[in-house]
Amino acid sequence: MGRAFKQGPGPVRPSAKEEAVVATARAQFERTLVSVRGDVVGSMAALGHPSKRDSANYSEVFVRDNVPVMLYLLLKGRYGIVRHFLTVCLDLQSSTYQTRGIFPTSFVEEHGVLVADYGQRSIGRITSVDGSLWWPVLCWLYVQRSGDHSFGVSQQVQRGVQLLLDLVLHPTFEGTPVLFVPDCAFMIDRPMDVWGAPLDVEVLLFGCLRSCCHLMELARQSSMSRLLDQRLVLTHQWVHDLRSFLLKHYWVTSKTIQVLRRRPTEQYGEHQRENEFNVQPQVVPAWLQDWLNHRGGYLIGNMRTGRPDFRFYSLGNSLACLFGLLTPPQQRALFRLVLHNREHLMAQMPMRICHPPMDLEEWRNKTGSDPKNWPWSYHNGGHWPSLLWYLGGAILLHEQQHPQADVLLMGQMNALLEECYWSQLNQLPRQQWAEYFDGPTGSWMGQQARTHQTWTIVGFLLLHHLLRVAPADVSLLDLERSPPPYQRGP
Ligand code: GLC
């Protein structure tokens, strides 16, 4: 794809106002914290609303939006808030038969009580799965960082884990280890043709199952249980199968695409296994040629019979690095791809949520003519500042774990990250910490964007923390570390 859009020099210039911007962001962040009966239960999604009407649900506490919030609070040692948030989510874990075990998408206080939304009140009425998959990840990171093992092994946590696992580890019509979901079931919560096994969900499932294993292993250290042993064997196997599945069917490089284009089709039976999803070579899009370049690689957005989704999703790919789903060389191939396509992925406002956007007929058919997901807007190729820190975390964690590997590439990645950080620092305060940005360069504030969006603010603060305050803290995000020996109390 041609280098059509240049990153202008303006937004990337270092600013003398760094400290002032960080101080403002910190103050804004404090304002997002919501207290119920004297205790903080999390952050509301946004402080501002463009039309100032109170109709949208941005004053609710979304579990997914609180992921960076809780990680930031962990880094600041504010463990009590994180523990309380995790407990509130457990209290709100669904107990009705059809949805038993799922965590709410969001919750809000109404007349003194917390009311959860599992999707029944959201636009489109879709139950999302990502908040549920995030919960064990957050719980494990909390236990690990705070040393509060007694919370990790508590009956309430262990029961919550088992209820959640019941939703995944059961026989289905699908013989594959992926979790099948409808369109709109995660951060992308409006129709975007992301039904089936979208990358973001499957990578999160991987992180979720890994974290569940850690929490169960911790419990096993303090009490023996045959049930737990069986559950652990099954979960470990699932993690292994899921990873193999994703690496086999989602990972692409210039080399694998060339093999893929020349595979036989219409295969069946035990022995014909080169093209299990019967993908016709014609579906491989032409833009992939330049996008992948020679040494780039990434996980595609979805694999479905005959219809893979080749779009690039920033969150799923960044998380695949952070969670250790991708091997170290694959992670570096992904970094090369980001570098090669930086005018697209970063442009003026890092970083684009997915690429390329759907246009014309495709937009009409696949989004149901959704005006919010207009090409280059919102989920359809829009730029979300909240996504940058995930990639930043992936780069910094990789460097910490493999300090000697490809020093030249990692130097370039660090420079890229630094410029993206300046780009946000210079623009976000002026653009009121908007939720998302529109257009191919991402320089226009999103047409319907909320302002003072919490994960925009806290994503920036997280990046600031990892780049300036305590770079070693990136190890917080490492899911591969095994549980420490059991200790009572924090
Ligand atoms: C929008 C986004 C969703 C987010 C929510 C609250 O619905 O699509 O990902 O969680 O706003 O910010």
Side-chain angles (χ1 to χ4, degrees):
M1 194 165 283
R3 309 261 73 83
F5 313 115
K6 289 280 166 269
Q7 195 172 28
V12 300
R13 217 175 295 130
S15 156
K17 297 198 194 106
E18 185 174 10
E19 282 314 307
V21 172
V22 171
T24 315
R26 284 185 181 142
Q28 299 280 11
F29 170 65
E30 294 302 318
R31 289 179 55 220
T32 68
L33 297 171
V34 179
S35 288
V36 175
R37 288 187 294 273
D39 288 315
V40 174
V41 293
S43 280
M44 63 179 81
L47 292 170
H49 187 278
S51 63
K52 303 273 186 287
R53 272 184 291 113
D54 206 16
S55 54
N57 53 0
Y58 281 75
S59 56
E60 299 205 7
V61 177
F62 280 74
V63 173
R64 76 168 70 84
D65 296 50
N66 271 271
V67 170
V69 170
M70 294 303 143
L71 295 176
Y72 182 67
L73 292 171
L74 280 184
L75 291 177
K76 295 291 165 195
R78 295 165 79 176
Y79 301 140
I81 301 182
V82 182
R83 183 184 162 126
H84 187 57
F85 170 79
L86 292 167
T87 310
V88 166
C89 292
L90 274 175
D91 292 342
L92 297 175
Q93 199 175 10
S94 173
S95 55
T96 53
Y97 183 73
Q98 280 194 310
T99 51
R100 190 172 57 210
I102 67 166
F103 287 93
T105 308
S106 64
F107 54 87
V108 69
E109 186 210 27
E110 275 174 15
H111 313 298
V113 282
L114 286 175
V115 180
D117 179 24
Y118 306 94
Q120 80 280 12
R121 296 191 297 148
S122 68
I123 297 171
R125 308 295 187 269
I126 294 283
T127 304
S128 59
V129 299
D130 58 338
S132 295
L133 301 177
W134 269 117
W135 187 88
V137 177
L138 283 179
C139 184
W140 170 243
L141 295 180
Y142 162 74
V143 168
Q144 183 158 262
R145 178 81 178 189
S146 67
D148 187 358
H149 293 179
S150 54
F151 181 71
V153 301
S154 68
Q155 213 203 341
Q156 196 188 11
V157 165
Q158 292 293 325
R159 186 171 170 274
V161 166
Q162 294 307 326
L163 280 177
L164 181 62
L165 285 176
D166 285 345
L167 287 162
V168 180
L169 312 180
H170 60 81
T172 64
F173 280 103
E174 262 310 308
T176 56
V178 296
L179 185 63
F180 260 61
V181 297
D183 209 354
C184 333
F186 54 110
M187 176 188 179
I188 298 180
D189 57 3
R190 299 172 73 98
M192 273 285 289
D193 197 33
V194 285
W195 53 270
L199 180 70
D200 290 16
V201 168
E202 307 313 323
V203 173
L204 259 175
L205 176 64
F206 175 81
C208 164
L209 295 179
R210 261 200 156 171
S211 305
C212 288
C213 285
H214 289 324
L215 288 165
M216 289 191 286
E217 271 156 14
L218 199 64
R220 201 171 54 165
Q221 286 179 21
S222 60
S223 65
M224 302 293 282
S225 146
R226 269 198 49 205
L227 216 71
L228 204 56
D229 286 347
Q230 288 167 356
R231 245 348 220 233
L232 264 166
V233 171
L234 184 59
T235 315
H236 275 303
Q237 187 62 46
W238 210 287
V239 173
H240 172 268
D241 294 349
L242 176 63
R243 178 165 190 248
S244 310
F245 185 90
L246 293 174
L247 292 185
K248 180 170 179 204
H249 297 293
Y250 286 58
W251 177 254
V252 294
T253 63
S254 171
K255 229 191 217 158
T256 65
I257 287 288
Q258 292 183 59
V259 174
L260 201 137
R261 289 178 68 250
R262 295 168 63 83
R263 287 183 310 191
T265 56
E266 314 296 324
Q267 293 200 313
Y268 61 92
E270 283 291 306
H271 304 296
Q272 302 186 341
R273 307 183 62 87
E274 292 156 275
N275 191 353
E276 285 143 293
F277 290 101
N278 203 29
V279 175
Q280 306 294 330
Q282 289 88 336
V283 306
V284 176
W287 60 267
L288 266 192
Q289 199 166 64
D290 183 56
W291 182 258
L292 282 168
N293 202 242
H294 301 302
R295 296 182 63 207
Y298 76 104
L299 292 161
I300 64 169
N302 211 331
M303 182 46 85
R304 300 175 292 216
T305 299
R307 285 186 291 169
D309 178 357
F310 284 101
R311 280 174 292 178
F312 177 90
Y313 293 83
S314 299
L315 182 59
N317 275 286
S318 301
L319 289 180
C321 294
L322 281 176
F323 293 165
L325 190 152
L326 291 176
T327 64
Q330 285 174 330
Q331 294 184 24
R332 291 193 289 278
L334 175 71
F335 297 156
R336 277 185 212 106
L337 179 122
V338 172
L339 211 52
H340 179 67
N341 298 296
R342 71 176 289 180
E343 277 95 352
H344 294 285
L345 288 174
M346 302 310 183
Q348 306 270 337
M349 178 50 77
M351 103 172 265
R352 187 172 297 171
I353 187 168
C354 85
H355 179 92
M358 296 188 288
D359 204 356
L360 306 169
E361 269 309 291
E362 203 185 8
W363 165 77
R364 242 191 302 280
N365 294 334
K366 305 264 174 76
T367 73
S369 298
D370 185 350
K372 199 165 178 181
N373 274 336
W374 191 252
W376 303 112
S377 188
Y378 206 46
H379 302 136
N380 190 15
H383 287 239
W384 293 65
S386 56
L387 292 175
L388 177 63
W389 86 267
Y390 288 101
L391 180 77
I395 295 167
L396 298 172
L397 187 62
H398 185 92
E399 221 180 8
Q400 189 185 71
Q401 292 175 335
H402 313 281
Q404 313 296 342
D406 206 333
V407 181
L408 186 65
L409 169 72
M410 295 315 287
Q412 288 173 306
M413 291 313 290
N414 271 313
L416 170 110
L417 194 56
E418 189 71 22
E419 285 178 23
C420 289
Y421 168 75
W422 286 118
S423 191
Q424 289 203 345
L425 189 135
N426 286 326
Q427 292 182 88
L428 289 179
R430 267 191 281 127
Q431 305 272 31
Q432 299 173 71
W433 307 92
E435 178 188 18
Y436 68 96
F437 290 75
D438 284 345
T441 71
S443 55
W444 295 332
M445 188 199 286
Q447 191 254 326
Q448 292 191 45
R450 270 68 198 172
T451 54
H452 300 95
Q453 181 83 17
T454 302
W455 60 10
T456 300
I457 299 169
V458 82
F460 170 77
L461 286 174
L462 270 172
L463 199 55
H464 171 262
H465 184 94
L466 296 178
L467 287 176
R468 299 281 185 274
V469 182
D473 268 351
V474 74
S475 60
L476 165 78
L477 305 168
D478 183 2
L479 277 193
E480 289 188 85
R481 281 190 290 169
S482 45
Y486 178 74
Q487 294 157 16
R488 227 163 258 285

